[in-house]
Amino acid sequence: MNWLSSQWMICVILSMFPFLGFAQTADIRQSALQCQLEASSELVQCDYRYPLNIEVKDISVKVGGQTIKLEPTDIALYPAPGQTSAILILVDVSDPRRRETVEKKYVKLIKDMVADQKPHQLIGIAGFDSELNLLTPMSADHDALMDAVTKIKATGAATEYYKNILTAIELLKKTDATRKGLVIMSDGKDEDKAYNRDDVLKAAKDAGVAILGIGFEERLSDSPYLQNVQKLAIETFGQYYDGSEGKYPASFLNQPFAFLETGGRVTFKGNKFNAAQDVTLVLGTKNDKPFEITTRVEFPDKRSSGEKFKEFVKRNMLSLLLGLVALIAVIAYAMYYLKKRKETQPQVIEYGYLEELSGAKTRHILTKTAVRIGRSIDNDVHLANDSISTHHAEIHRRREGDFYIVDLSSTNGVFVNEEKVTQTELSDGDLIELGEVRLHFYIN
């Protein structure tokens, strides 16, 4: 089988085994579902959230494709007991020319947002230009929060937009809370050289941070920059509002942190499952188009080796059958190819052989119609004996099938059945003497 054919067949076989493939990169939906397994009770608790534009009417859970029946008591809206939200409000204070926006619009909006701070909400404020300045850490201290609002001043210079958002995400990552949200108030202008949006999105996904973006344009030419705020919000399952005119939906003013606090907690028994499994939360929506969120959970594996093998075969039966069919096809193709190749190759015919009468009884197979015998290694039959001439004799097979031997002017001559000859016909079993070497001639 040639190289190209074998490579093609290997690719066919590998394509039949999808379970050998590499895992796909997780999207943002994985950061919207966080599941924890309690080893002692084998209960799985999954905290989930979803975009604000989805109206959920029912919830179900699938583990490894198997649907789990949920009781009403298994579902709790956020915040369930013990759940907290860490929220950092990040304010762009660069450019003193933006004082009206920063010190009035920003301040008024923040006061409105935090006025009804809930006990489970840990809120902090930070300003940024080229560096991030934490005005108050995330906590439930409402007085400290309101005091920090008064310190917001537009005194900064250059805006290192993405660098400071990365710093804010790192602060959230280190905060002990169930959910983590970043509120960005900015015109979206960036003067970063080392960081970009992709860096921020990766960090936000890794830390499970959702972003609420509120864009403020000073002039029409600023409009394209607002996309820097908007895209971060949309791509982290967050929300975006244009605050340039100071007008916001009533739903936002009533629940400013709803972008972070949709969903809740689902609890179910995990004792039926083994090893790593995909856990998928299926949200039924008002438009009857299910919205699915998936994450990976490591369940303890209590199966024996035999049980693991049986389950593996059962789970991958189709792939195994397809792989077996592909393997059989490869073997069949290889056998056919080798057979055709053998048929097209010239067949080697053994017309007869010479057998030395020495102790070893060495055989010299005759496959040519003209076989030269002598002491030199370039002969067809090489006889390493000083009594043999360099090119001593030659055996020919005629077209009719009979054989004869010819003396090639050797020093010690050629004897057939103890009679010296220069040329004679050979018969099966004849004794040939070349110098001191004696051989029997046999015809196949």
Side-chain angles (χ1 to χ4, degrees), residues 349-354 363-368 371 380-381 444:
I349 300 174
E350 296 181 3
Y351 298 112
Y353 59 93
L354 295 170
R363 286 190 178 188
H364 305 280
I365 308 300
L366 309 179
T367 59
K368 295 182 178 180
V371 177
D380 299 305
V381 177
N444 285 339

Side-chain angles (χ1 to χ4, degrees), residues 84-102:
T84 55
S85 297
I87 302 161
L88 180 59
I89 301 174
L90 187 62
V91 182
D92 183 350
V93 295
S94 63
D95 194 350
R97 292 174 296 180
R98 298 176 62 246
R99 182 172 286 111
E100 181 75 14
T101 295
V102 174

Side-chain angles (χ1 to χ4, degrees), residues 8-23:
W8 178 80
M9 293 308 295
I10 289 171
C11 291
V12 169
I13 293 174
L14 289 178
S15 69
M16 300 296 182
F17 291 89
F19 51 85
L20 295 179
F22 295 102

Side-chain angles (χ1 to χ4, degrees), residues 351-354 366 369 371 373 393-398 401-407 414-419 421-434 439-444:
Y351 298 112
Y353 59 93
L354 295 170
L366 309 179
T369 55
V371 177
I373 307 168
E394 199 164 61
I395 295 177
H396 292 266
R397 180 182 183 274
R398 292 190 179 97
D402 54 340
F403 293 83
Y404 67 95
I405 188 167
V406 177
D407 186 355
V414 175
F415 292 81
V416 176
N417 297 325
E418 298 184 351
E419 182 181 341
V421 299
T422 55
Q423 178 177 321
T424 189
E425 187 175 344
L426 291 172
S427 299
D428 188 52
D430 280 350
L431 175 64
I432 301 173
E433 295 178 76
L434 307 175
L439 311 105
H440 269 136
F441 170 74
Y442 294 101
I443 299 172
N444 285 339

Side-chain angles (χ1 to χ4, degrees), residues 116-135:
D116 191 24
Q117 182 182 7
K118 302 293 190 297
H120 71 278
Q121 294 173 340
L122 312 177
I123 304 176
I125 300 178
F128 77 95
D129 47 13
S130 59
E131 298 292 337
L132 185 144
N133 178 26
L134 187 63
L135 301 177

